[in-house]
Amino acid sequence: MASTWKAAVGCALVGTLLGNAALAEDYVFYETFSTGWEGRWVPSSLEKYTGKMEAAKMKESEDFGLKVTEKAKFYGVSSKFTPITPGKDTVVLQYELALEEGLECGGAYLKFLSEGFEPSELDNETPYSIMFGPDKCGATNKVHFIFRHKNPITGEYEEHHLKNPPSVPLDKNTHLYTAVIHPDNKFEIMIDGEVKSEGSLLDSFDPPVNPPKEIDDPEDKKPSDWVDEAQIPDPEATKPDDWDEDAPYMIDDMEAEKPEDWLEDEPVMIDDPHATAPEDWDEEEDGEWQPPQIENPKCADVSGCGPWKRPMKKNPEYKGKWTAPMIPNPEYKGEWKPRQIPNPDYFEDSDPIKSLADIEGVAVEIWTMSDGMIFDNILVTSDKGYATELMEKTWKLKSLAQKTAEKIEDEIEAPLEPVGWQYVEKLVDAVPFLSKLKAKHSDQFYKLKENYIIVYSIVALNALVSLLIFVRLLSGKSKSGAADPGKAKKEDITQEDDPQDQDEKEEEEEKVEEEEKVKRRSRRA
C-alpha cells in the first residue's frame, strides 16, 4: 500500500509539472534517453565491455534514464556532439544520477571525451578532457573532478585531481551533479544545486599545474660523516645503585582480604543440569557424553567462587630497564637535504584552461559492483543560467516527488503510538513510587507502549476508579443536602402548632386550673 501511494504521488507530481517544463534550446548536448537514444549512443566493440545498458524509468517518475543492469561488469557507451572549447566560454557539465541499489564499489562518473575519439573503440585509455562524478570503494568516497592539462614542454597530457573532493550522497534518491569551469580558471562543483567545492585550476589540484622551479639534485648524496641525530645518550651517566631492573611490574596486593561471601568450595562452572545426551549418541562410537558447562548460579549473587587469589597491583618499586638520559648531540649538523637545482621541466602556465582539449563527446566508461544506477538529463552547455533553469524544471520536481513519496511511506509504515499512552506517562510521573519504578526499569516501561491491551487497560481502570470516586462524592453531597432541610422543617413544626391544637391546650389548662380551685375550697371547709 505504501509503495502504491508513493508511486501515485511521484508520478502525479513529476508527470504534471514536467509537462510545463519547456525550455529554449541553449545547449551543446542534452540527453534525456527518450525514444531513439540507441541511435545516439554507441557501445564499445571491445570484448571486456560486457555490461548492457538500457533505458528505464526513474523512481517516482515517468522520466527515462540510462540504467546499469548487472553487477561486476565493465560498461562502455559514448555519444558525440559538436565540440566545445574550454577557455573560450564557460563550460557547464551536469547530469542526474540515481543509485537505486546503492553504490558498493565502482564508479558512477562520466568522462567528457576529447576531440577526435572513435566511439566504437572506446576504452579506459580513450583521452578525456574532464572526468566528473561519484566514485566509491572501500575507504574511497568522493565526487571526482579530474582535468587533463597539456604540458607545454613535452606536449603530453597530465591528470590533475581535485585535492578535497566532496563526498557522494549514498541514499537511493536522484541527485544532480554540476561542474562549472569558467574562462578565468575558476570552477565550482555542485550537488543538488549547492556548491560543495570551488577554487582555481591553478592551486586546487594535485599535482599542481605548474611544477616547482627547483628540485632536489638527484646526484647529491648525504656525506658518510654527516651526523643527523639531534640527541644522544649521556655517555657520563651511570645507573643508580638502588635501581632494581628485576623488580616485577605487578605484585600481589597484600592488603586485600577475601570477601566474606566468597564461596571457595563452589566451582565457577558446572554441568548443565537440564542438558541431556542426544538420542543418537553412541558411547561406544562417540565416547562418554559430557554435558555442556554453564555458569554456577550460586556465584551470581556473591563476590566470587573457587579458590580465592589476591588481586595484583602495580609495583611501587618497579623502575624497568635503566637507560641513560638523552642530551643534545654536540656533533649534530641538522637534517640533511639534497641541494636544489633548477627544474629542467619547469614551466609556468597562468591560463591552464586553454590547454584543455576541446570536448567532443561524453561516455559512461566504468566498472562497478553495483547495479541499478541510472544516468539522466546529461547536459553540456556554456550557459550556467540554462543549467539552473533545467534543474528547477526537471531534477527539483523529481526530487520533490521522491521525498514526498518517501515521507508518505514512512508515515504509513511507522508504528502507531497507542491512544492514551501520553496519559499513562503523565499518570506514572505524577505518582512518586511509580515514577521511581519507571526510572529504574525504563526499558521494560517503554516496552508497554507496544502492548495496546495493557495501555488501554490502565487507561480504562483509571477512568473507572475516577468515576467511582466522583459518584461517591456526588452521593455524599446529596444525602447531606437532604438531611438539613428535613431537620429545619421538623423544628418549624415543633415551634408552630396547629390552631385547633392550641384551643384544646387552652381548654385543658382552664380545666386543670378549675380543679385546683375546688381542691383549695375543700381544704378550707
Side-chain angles (χ1 to χ4, degrees), residues 204-236:
S204 300
F205 291 79
D206 189 31
V209 169
N210 295 314
K213 289 184 178 181
E214 293 185 321
I215 60 171
D216 294 343
D217 183 355
E219 303 296 325
D220 192 18
K221 306 296 181 184
K222 183 172 76 170
S224 59
D225 61 348
W226 188 276
V227 178
D228 50 13
E229 290 84 16
Q231 291 189 320
I232 59 171
D234 185 353
E236 297 182 1

PDB file of all heavy atoms in Angstrom, residues 204-236:
ATOM      1  N   SER A 204      44.100  24.268  -6.758  1.00  0.00           N
ATOM      2  CA  SER A 204      43.193  23.367  -6.023  1.00  0.00           C
ATOM      3  C   SER A 204      43.357  21.914  -6.431  1.00  0.00           C
ATOM      4  O   SER A 204      42.534  21.071  -6.045  1.00  0.00           O
ATOM      5  CB  SER A 204      41.736  23.801  -6.245  1.00  0.00           C
ATOM      6  OG  SER A 204      41.515  25.112  -5.791  1.00  0.00           O
ATOM      7  N   PHE A 205      44.410  21.605  -7.194  1.00  0.00           N
ATOM      8  CA  PHE A 205      44.557  20.255  -7.740  1.00  0.00           C
ATOM      9  C   PHE A 205      45.927  19.661  -7.414  1.00  0.00           C
ATOM     10  O   PHE A 205      46.886  20.379  -7.119  1.00  0.00           O
ATOM     11  CB  PHE A 205      44.318  20.274  -9.256  1.00  0.00           C
ATOM     12  CG  PHE A 205      42.888  20.563  -9.614  1.00  0.00           C
ATOM     13  CD1 PHE A 205      42.397  21.863  -9.593  1.00  0.00           C
ATOM     14  CD2 PHE A 205      42.029  19.532  -9.940  1.00  0.00           C
ATOM     15  CE1 PHE A 205      41.073  22.138  -9.900  1.00  0.00           C
ATOM     16  CE2 PHE A 205      40.706  19.785 -10.257  1.00  0.00           C
ATOM     17  CZ  PHE A 205      40.225  21.092 -10.232  1.00  0.00           C
ATOM     18  N   ASP A 206      45.952  18.342  -7.467  1.00  0.00           N
ATOM     19  CA  ASP A 206      47.173  17.613  -7.167  1.00  0.00           C
ATOM     20  C   ASP A 206      47.421  16.587  -8.289  1.00  0.00           C
ATOM     21  O   ASP A 206      46.530  15.794  -8.585  1.00  0.00           O
ATOM     22  CB  ASP A 206      47.025  16.888  -5.817  1.00  0.00           C
ATOM     23  CG  ASP A 206      48.330  16.288  -5.343  1.00  0.00           C
ATOM     24  OD1 ASP A 206      49.389  16.863  -5.668  1.00  0.00           O
ATOM     25  OD2 ASP A 206      48.277  15.244  -4.653  1.00  0.00           O
ATOM     26  N   PRO A 207      48.620  16.603  -8.922  1.00  0.00           N
ATOM     27  CA  PRO A 207      49.692  17.580  -8.702  1.00  0.00           C
ATOM     28  C   PRO A 207      49.295  18.942  -9.253  1.00  0.00           C
ATOM     29  O   PRO A 207      48.397  19.041 -10.098  1.00  0.00           O
ATOM     30  CB  PRO A 207      50.848  16.982  -9.492  1.00  0.00           C
ATOM     31  CG  PRO A 207      50.186  16.200 -10.576  1.00  0.00           C
ATOM     32  CD  PRO A 207      48.944  15.633  -9.974  1.00  0.00           C
ATOM     33  N   PRO A 208      49.956  20.014  -8.782  1.00  0.00           N
ATOM     34  CA  PRO A 208      49.621  21.342  -9.306  1.00  0.00           C
ATOM     35  C   PRO A 208      49.960  21.449 -10.786  1.00  0.00           C
ATOM     36  O   PRO A 208      50.806  20.714 -11.300  1.00  0.00           O
ATOM     37  CB  PRO A 208      50.491  22.279  -8.456  1.00  0.00           C
ATOM     38  CG  PRO A 208      51.597  21.428  -7.936  1.00  0.00           C
ATOM     39  CD  PRO A 208      51.031  20.057  -7.764  1.00  0.00           C
ATOM     40  N   VAL A 209      49.276  22.335 -11.468  1.00  0.00           N
ATOM     41  CA  VAL A 209      49.508  22.514 -12.903  1.00  0.00           C
ATOM     42  C   VAL A 209      50.964  22.879 -13.176  1.00  0.00           C
ATOM     43  O   VAL A 209      51.631  22.281 -14.027  1.00  0.00           O
ATOM     44  CB  VAL A 209      48.568  23.607 -13.466  1.00  0.00           C
ATOM     45  CG1 VAL A 209      48.998  23.989 -14.882  1.00  0.00           C
ATOM     46  CG2 VAL A 209      47.136  23.118 -13.462  1.00  0.00           C
ATOM     47  N   ASN A 210      51.473  23.867 -12.422  1.00  0.00           N
ATOM     48  CA  ASN A 210      52.848  24.338 -12.651  1.00  0.00           C
ATOM     49  C   ASN A 210      53.821  23.624 -11.726  1.00  0.00           C
ATOM     50  O   ASN A 210      53.641  23.631 -10.503  1.00  0.00           O
ATOM     51  CB  ASN A 210      52.928  25.850 -12.418  1.00  0.00           C
ATOM     52  CG  ASN A 210      52.107  26.631 -13.429  1.00  0.00           C
ATOM     53  OD1 ASN A 210      52.173  26.367 -14.623  1.00  0.00           O
ATOM     54  ND2 ASN A 210      51.309  27.579 -12.955  1.00  0.00           N
ATOM     55  N   PRO A 211      54.836  22.998 -12.271  1.00  0.00           N
ATOM     56  CA  PRO A 211      55.815  22.288 -11.449  1.00  0.00           C
ATOM     57  C   PRO A 211      56.690  23.273 -10.679  1.00  0.00           C
ATOM     58  O   PRO A 211      56.734  24.468 -11.001  1.00  0.00           O
ATOM     59  CB  PRO A 211      56.628  21.497 -12.477  1.00  0.00           C
ATOM     60  CG  PRO A 211      56.483  22.266 -13.745  1.00  0.00           C
ATOM     61  CD  PRO A 211      55.137  22.895 -13.713  1.00  0.00           C
ATOM     62  N   PRO A 212      57.418  22.808  -9.636  1.00  0.00           N
ATOM     63  CA  PRO A 212      58.279  23.711  -8.858  1.00  0.00           C
ATOM     64  C   PRO A 212      59.460  24.209  -9.705  1.00  0.00           C
ATOM     65  O   PRO A 212      59.928  23.512 -10.607  1.00  0.00           O
ATOM     66  CB  PRO A 212      58.757  22.829  -7.705  1.00  0.00           C
ATOM     67  CG  PRO A 212      58.637  21.438  -8.204  1.00  0.00           C
ATOM     68  CD  PRO A 212      57.453  21.431  -9.118  1.00  0.00           C
ATOM     69  N   LYS A 213      59.942  25.408  -9.364  1.00  0.00           N
ATOM     70  CA  LYS A 213      61.071  25.975 -10.110  1.00  0.00           C
ATOM     71  C   LYS A 213      62.355  25.204  -9.844  1.00  0.00           C
ATOM     72  O   LYS A 213      63.222  25.089 -10.721  1.00  0.00           O
ATOM     73  CB  LYS A 213      61.273  27.443  -9.730  1.00  0.00           C
ATOM     74  CG  LYS A 213      60.195  28.369 -10.246  1.00  0.00           C
ATOM     75  CD  LYS A 213      60.520  29.822  -9.896  1.00  0.00           C
ATOM     76  CE  LYS A 213      59.463  30.761 -10.447  1.00  0.00           C
ATOM     77  NZ  LYS A 213      59.768  32.189 -10.143  1.00  0.00           N
ATOM     78  N   GLU A 214      62.504  24.697  -8.623  1.00  0.00           N
ATOM     79  CA  GLU A 214      63.705  23.944  -8.254  1.00  0.00           C
ATOM     80  C   GLU A 214      63.319  22.562  -7.752  1.00  0.00           C
ATOM     81  O   GLU A 214      62.243  22.366  -7.191  1.00  0.00           O
ATOM     82  CB  GLU A 214      64.496  24.679  -7.179  1.00  0.00           C
ATOM     83  CG  GLU A 214      65.104  25.987  -7.637  1.00  0.00           C
ATOM     84  CD  GLU A 214      65.982  26.616  -6.574  1.00  0.00           C
ATOM     85  OE1 GLU A 214      65.612  26.554  -5.387  1.00  0.00           O
ATOM     86  OE2 GLU A 214      67.049  27.167  -6.943  1.00  0.00           O
ATOM     87  N   ILE A 215      64.238  21.639  -7.940  1.00  0.00           N
ATOM     88  CA  ILE A 215      64.025  20.266  -7.482  1.00  0.00           C
ATOM     89  C   ILE A 215      65.294  19.777  -6.783  1.00  0.00           C
ATOM     90  O   ILE A 215      66.363  20.396  -6.875  1.00  0.00           O
ATOM     91  CB  ILE A 215      63.684  19.334  -8.660  1.00  0.00           C
ATOM     92  CG1 ILE A 215      64.840  19.325  -9.683  1.00  0.00           C
ATOM     93  CG2 ILE A 215      62.357  19.715  -9.295  1.00  0.00           C
ATOM     94  CD1 ILE A 215      64.688  18.273 -10.760  1.00  0.00           C
ATOM     95  N   ASP A 216      65.165  18.653  -6.051  1.00  0.00           N
ATOM     96  CA  ASP A 216      66.338  18.044  -5.430  1.00  0.00           C
ATOM     97  C   ASP A 216      67.312  17.576  -6.507  1.00  0.00           C
ATOM     98  O   ASP A 216      66.892  17.032  -7.542  1.00  0.00           O
ATOM     99  CB  ASP A 216      65.927  16.845  -4.573  1.00  0.00           C
ATOM    100  CG  ASP A 216      65.086  17.240  -3.377  1.00  0.00           C
ATOM    101  OD1 ASP A 216      65.096  18.438  -3.024  1.00  0.00           O
ATOM    102  OD2 ASP A 216      64.414  16.360  -2.804  1.00  0.00           O
ATOM    103  N   ASP A 217      68.600  17.770  -6.237  1.00  0.00           N
ATOM    104  CA  ASP A 217      69.635  17.290  -7.154  1.00  0.00           C
ATOM    105  C   ASP A 217      69.737  15.775  -7.017  1.00  0.00           C
ATOM    106  O   ASP A 217      70.130  15.274  -5.956  1.00  0.00           O
ATOM    107  CB  ASP A 217      70.972  17.950  -6.821  1.00  0.00           C
ATOM    108  CG  ASP A 217      72.076  17.547  -7.790  1.00  0.00           C
ATOM    109  OD1 ASP A 217      71.817  16.690  -8.663  1.00  0.00           O
ATOM    110  OD2 ASP A 217      73.203  18.072  -7.659  1.00  0.00           O
ATOM    111  N   PRO A 218      69.359  15.039  -8.039  1.00  0.00           N
ATOM    112  CA  PRO A 218      69.402  13.572  -7.929  1.00  0.00           C
ATOM    113  C   PRO A 218      70.826  13.029  -7.766  1.00  0.00           C
ATOM    114  O   PRO A 218      70.998  11.879  -7.343  1.00  0.00           O
ATOM    115  CB  PRO A 218      68.767  13.099  -9.242  1.00  0.00           C
ATOM    116  CG  PRO A 218      68.940  14.231 -10.189  1.00  0.00           C
ATOM    117  CD  PRO A 218      68.887  15.481  -9.360  1.00  0.00           C
ATOM    118  N   GLU A 219      71.828  13.828  -8.073  1.00  0.00           N
ATOM    119  CA  GLU A 219      73.228  13.377  -7.960  1.00  0.00           C
ATOM    120  C   GLU A 219      73.813  13.636  -6.579  1.00  0.00           C
ATOM    121  O   GLU A 219      74.878  13.111  -6.244  1.00  0.00           O
ATOM    122  CB  GLU A 219      74.088  14.093  -9.017  1.00  0.00           C
ATOM    123  CG  GLU A 219      73.619  13.902 -10.459  1.00  0.00           C
ATOM    124  CD  GLU A 219      73.709  12.452 -10.881  1.00  0.00           C
ATOM    125  OE1 GLU A 219      74.649  11.756 -10.433  1.00  0.00           O
ATOM    126  OE2 GLU A 219      72.847  12.014 -11.658  1.00  0.00           O
ATOM    127  N   ASP A 220      73.128  14.463  -5.790  1.00  0.00           N
ATOM    128  CA  ASP A 220      73.665  14.825  -4.469  1.00  0.00           C
ATOM    129  C   ASP A 220      73.387  13.707  -3.468  1.00  0.00           C
ATOM    130  O   ASP A 220      72.255  13.226  -3.362  1.00  0.00           O
ATOM    131  CB  ASP A 220      73.031  16.136  -4.015  1.00  0.00           C
ATOM    132  CG  ASP A 220      73.734  16.741  -2.815  1.00  0.00           C
ATOM    133  OD1 ASP A 220      74.890  16.347  -2.560  1.00  0.00           O
ATOM    134  OD2 ASP A 220      73.142  17.614  -2.157  1.00  0.00           O
ATOM    135  N   LYS A 221      74.430  13.311  -2.713  1.00  0.00           N
ATOM    136  CA  LYS A 221      74.308  12.235  -1.723  1.00  0.00           C
ATOM    137  C   LYS A 221      74.739  12.739  -0.357  1.00  0.00           C
ATOM    138  O   LYS A 221      75.611  13.599  -0.242  1.00  0.00           O
ATOM    139  CB  LYS A 221      75.184  11.040  -2.109  1.00  0.00           C
ATOM    140  CG  LYS A 221      74.950  10.504  -3.516  1.00  0.00           C
ATOM    141  CD  LYS A 221      73.548   9.940  -3.693  1.00  0.00           C
ATOM    142  CE  LYS A 221      73.339   9.393  -5.109  1.00  0.00           C
ATOM    143  NZ  LYS A 221      71.947   8.937  -5.328  1.00  0.00           N
ATOM    144  N   LYS A 222      74.132  12.196   0.689  1.00  0.00           N
ATOM    145  CA  LYS A 222      74.491  12.599   2.051  1.00  0.00           C
ATOM    146  C   LYS A 222      75.895  12.097   2.374  1.00  0.00           C
ATOM    147  O   LYS A 222      76.204  10.916   2.175  1.00  0.00           O
ATOM    148  CB  LYS A 222      73.487  12.015   3.053  1.00  0.00           C
ATOM    149  CG  LYS A 222      73.743  12.454   4.495  1.00  0.00           C
ATOM    150  CD  LYS A 222      72.626  12.036   5.434  1.00  0.00           C
ATOM    151  CE  LYS A 222      72.706  10.563   5.758  1.00  0.00           C
ATOM    152  NZ  LYS A 222      71.776  10.192   6.841  1.00  0.00           N
ATOM    153  N   PRO A 223      76.784  12.979   2.881  1.00  0.00           N
ATOM    154  CA  PRO A 223      78.144  12.559   3.252  1.00  0.00           C
ATOM    155  C   PRO A 223      78.109  11.464   4.311  1.00  0.00           C
ATOM    156  O   PRO A 223      77.218  11.435   5.173  1.00  0.00           O
ATOM    157  CB  PRO A 223      78.764  13.843   3.799  1.00  0.00           C
ATOM    158  CG  PRO A 223      77.966  14.953   3.188  1.00  0.00           C
ATOM    159  CD  PRO A 223      76.570  14.415   3.064  1.00  0.00           C
ATOM    160  N   SER A 224      79.074  10.589   4.256  1.00  0.00           N
ATOM    161  CA  SER A 224      79.120   9.453   5.189  1.00  0.00           C
ATOM    162  C   SER A 224      79.336   9.900   6.630  1.00  0.00           C
ATOM    163  O   SER A 224      78.943   9.192   7.566  1.00  0.00           O
ATOM    164  CB  SER A 224      80.239   8.487   4.769  1.00  0.00           C
ATOM    165  OG  SER A 224      81.491   9.150   4.767  1.00  0.00           O
ATOM    166  N   ASP A 225      79.982  11.062   6.841  1.00  0.00           N
ATOM    167  CA  ASP A 225      80.235  11.527   8.199  1.00  0.00           C
ATOM    168  C   ASP A 225      79.177  12.525   8.681  1.00  0.00           C
ATOM    169  O   ASP A 225      79.358  13.183   9.699  1.00  0.00           O
ATOM    170  CB  ASP A 225      81.619  12.183   8.285  1.00  0.00           C
ATOM    171  CG  ASP A 225      81.752  13.397   7.364  1.00  0.00           C
ATOM    172  OD1 ASP A 225      80.854  13.586   6.503  1.00  0.00           O
ATOM    173  OD2 ASP A 225      82.738  14.145   7.502  1.00  0.00           O
ATOM    174  N   TRP A 226      78.103  12.612   7.942  1.00  0.00           N
ATOM    175  CA  TRP A 226      77.054  13.559   8.344  1.00  0.00           C
ATOM    176  C   TRP A 226      76.306  13.023   9.562  1.00  0.00           C
ATOM    177  O   TRP A 226      75.854  11.881   9.577  1.00  0.00           O
ATOM    178  CB  TRP A 226      76.064  13.776   7.194  1.00  0.00           C
ATOM    179  CG  TRP A 226      75.067  14.880   7.461  1.00  0.00           C
ATOM    180  CD1 TRP A 226      73.910  14.785   8.145  1.00  0.00           C
ATOM    181  CD2 TRP A 226      75.176  16.241   7.069  1.00  0.00           C
ATOM    182  NE1 TRP A 226      73.265  15.985   8.202  1.00  0.00           N
ATOM    183  CE2 TRP A 226      74.036  16.917   7.540  1.00  0.00           C
ATOM    184  CE3 TRP A 226      76.148  16.965   6.353  1.00  0.00           C
ATOM    185  CZ2 TRP A 226      73.826  18.264   7.327  1.00  0.00           C
ATOM    186  CZ3 TRP A 226      75.921  18.321   6.135  1.00  0.00           C
ATOM    187  CH2 TRP A 226      74.770  18.959   6.628  1.00  0.00           C
ATOM    188  N   VAL A 227      76.208  13.843  10.605  1.00  0.00           N
ATOM    189  CA  VAL A 227      75.525  13.443  11.836  1.00  0.00           C
ATOM    190  C   VAL A 227      74.168  14.136  11.877  1.00  0.00           C
ATOM    191  O   VAL A 227      74.101  15.362  11.973  1.00  0.00           O
ATOM    192  CB  VAL A 227      76.358  13.822  13.086  1.00  0.00           C
ATOM    193  CG1 VAL A 227      75.591  13.445  14.358  1.00  0.00           C
ATOM    194  CG2 VAL A 227      77.723  13.153  13.042  1.00  0.00           C
ATOM    195  N   ASP A 228      73.096  13.336  11.811  1.00  0.00           N
ATOM    196  CA  ASP A 228      71.756  13.939  11.846  1.00  0.00           C
ATOM    197  C   ASP A 228      70.939  13.470  13.045  1.00  0.00           C
ATOM    198  O   ASP A 228      69.720  13.599  13.062  1.00  0.00           O
ATOM    199  CB  ASP A 228      71.002  13.682  10.544  1.00  0.00           C
ATOM    200  CG  ASP A 228      71.017  12.229  10.134  1.00  0.00           C
ATOM    201  OD1 ASP A 228      71.393  11.384  10.955  1.00  0.00           O
ATOM    202  OD2 ASP A 228      70.649  11.944   8.975  1.00  0.00           O
ATOM    203  N   GLU A 229      71.630  12.943  14.093  1.00  0.00           N
ATOM    204  CA  GLU A 229      70.954  12.611  15.346  1.00  0.00           C
ATOM    205  C   GLU A 229      71.025  13.830  16.261  1.00  0.00           C
ATOM    206  O   GLU A 229      72.110  14.222  16.699  1.00  0.00           O
ATOM    207  CB  GLU A 229      71.584  11.412  16.046  1.00  0.00           C
ATOM    208  CG  GLU A 229      71.374  10.094  15.347  1.00  0.00           C
ATOM    209  CD  GLU A 229      72.420   9.860  14.250  1.00  0.00           C
ATOM    210  OE1 GLU A 229      73.458  10.559  14.248  1.00  0.00           O
ATOM    211  OE2 GLU A 229      72.188   9.004  13.387  1.00  0.00           O
ATOM    212  N   ALA A 230      69.880  14.420  16.572  1.00  0.00           N
ATOM    213  CA  ALA A 230      69.851  15.636  17.382  1.00  0.00           C
ATOM    214  C   ALA A 230      70.198  15.369  18.835  1.00  0.00           C
ATOM    215  O   ALA A 230      70.742  16.241  19.517  1.00  0.00           O
ATOM    216  CB  ALA A 230      68.474  16.276  17.296  1.00  0.00           C
ATOM    217  N   GLN A 231      69.919  14.164  19.361  1.00  0.00           N
ATOM    218  CA  GLN A 231      70.221  13.827  20.755  1.00  0.00           C
ATOM    219  C   GLN A 231      70.905  12.466  20.829  1.00  0.00           C
ATOM    220  O   GLN A 231      70.688  11.600  19.975  1.00  0.00           O
ATOM    221  CB  GLN A 231      68.947  13.821  21.596  1.00  0.00           C
ATOM    222  CG  GLN A 231      68.350  15.209  21.802  1.00  0.00           C
ATOM    223  CD  GLN A 231      67.221  15.190  22.822  1.00  0.00           C
ATOM    224  OE1 GLN A 231      66.408  14.264  22.840  1.00  0.00           O
ATOM    225  NE2 GLN A 231      67.185  16.187  23.689  1.00  0.00           N
ATOM    226  N   ILE A 232      71.707  12.314  21.894  1.00  0.00           N
ATOM    227  CA  ILE A 232      72.398  11.037  22.123  1.00  0.00           C
ATOM    228  C   ILE A 232      72.298  10.689  23.602  1.00  0.00           C
ATOM    229  O   ILE A 232      72.067  11.575  24.445  1.00  0.00           O
ATOM    230  CB  ILE A 232      73.880  11.124  21.699  1.00  0.00           C
ATOM    231  CG1 ILE A 232      74.595  12.230  22.493  1.00  0.00           C
ATOM    232  CG2 ILE A 232      74.021  11.326  20.210  1.00  0.00           C
ATOM    233  CD1 ILE A 232      76.102  12.241  22.310  1.00  0.00           C
ATOM    234  N   PRO A 233      72.474   9.400  23.973  1.00  0.00           N
ATOM    235  CA  PRO A 233      72.515   9.044  25.400  1.00  0.00           C
ATOM    236  C   PRO A 233      73.711   9.715  26.076  1.00  0.00           C
ATOM    237  O   PRO A 233      74.801   9.811  25.495  1.00  0.00           O
ATOM    238  CB  PRO A 233      72.659   7.525  25.378  1.00  0.00           C
ATOM    239  CG  PRO A 233      72.161   7.102  24.030  1.00  0.00           C
ATOM    240  CD  PRO A 233      72.525   8.223  23.105  1.00  0.00           C
ATOM    241  N   ASP A 234      73.503  10.172  27.288  1.00  0.00           N
ATOM    242  CA  ASP A 234      74.574  10.831  28.046  1.00  0.00           C
ATOM    243  C   ASP A 234      75.663   9.798  28.360  1.00  0.00           C
ATOM    244  O   ASP A 234      75.423   8.857  29.138  1.00  0.00           O
ATOM    245  CB  ASP A 234      73.999  11.416  29.331  1.00  0.00           C
ATOM    246  CG  ASP A 234      75.029  12.217  30.123  1.00  0.00           C
ATOM    247  OD1 ASP A 234      76.220  12.196  29.728  1.00  0.00           O
ATOM    248  OD2 ASP A 234      74.636  12.845  31.122  1.00  0.00           O
ATOM    249  N   PRO A 235      76.873   9.938  27.777  1.00  0.00           N
ATOM    250  CA  PRO A 235      77.922   8.925  27.997  1.00  0.00           C
ATOM    251  C   PRO A 235      78.462   8.926  29.430  1.00  0.00           C
ATOM    252  O   PRO A 235      79.103   7.958  29.859  1.00  0.00           O
ATOM    253  CB  PRO A 235      79.010   9.325  26.990  1.00  0.00           C
ATOM    254  CG  PRO A 235      78.785  10.779  26.750  1.00  0.00           C
ATOM    255  CD  PRO A 235      77.315  11.006  26.883  1.00  0.00           C
ATOM    256  N   GLU A 236      78.221   9.984  30.205  1.00  0.00           N
ATOM    257  CA  GLU A 236      78.747  10.063  31.560  1.00  0.00           C
ATOM    258  C   GLU A 236      77.738   9.589  32.602  1.00  0.00           C
ATOM    259  O   GLU A 236      78.072   9.499  33.786  1.00  0.00           O
ATOM    260  CB  GLU A 236      79.157  11.510  31.860  1.00  0.00           C
ATOM    261  CG  GLU A 236      80.283  12.008  30.942  1.00  0.00           C
ATOM    262  CD  GLU A 236      80.700  13.426  31.282  1.00  0.00           C
ATOM    263  OE1 GLU A 236      80.120  14.001  32.246  1.00  0.00           O
ATOM    264  OE2 GLU A 236      81.591  13.964  30.613  1.00  0.00           O
TER     265      GLU A 236
END
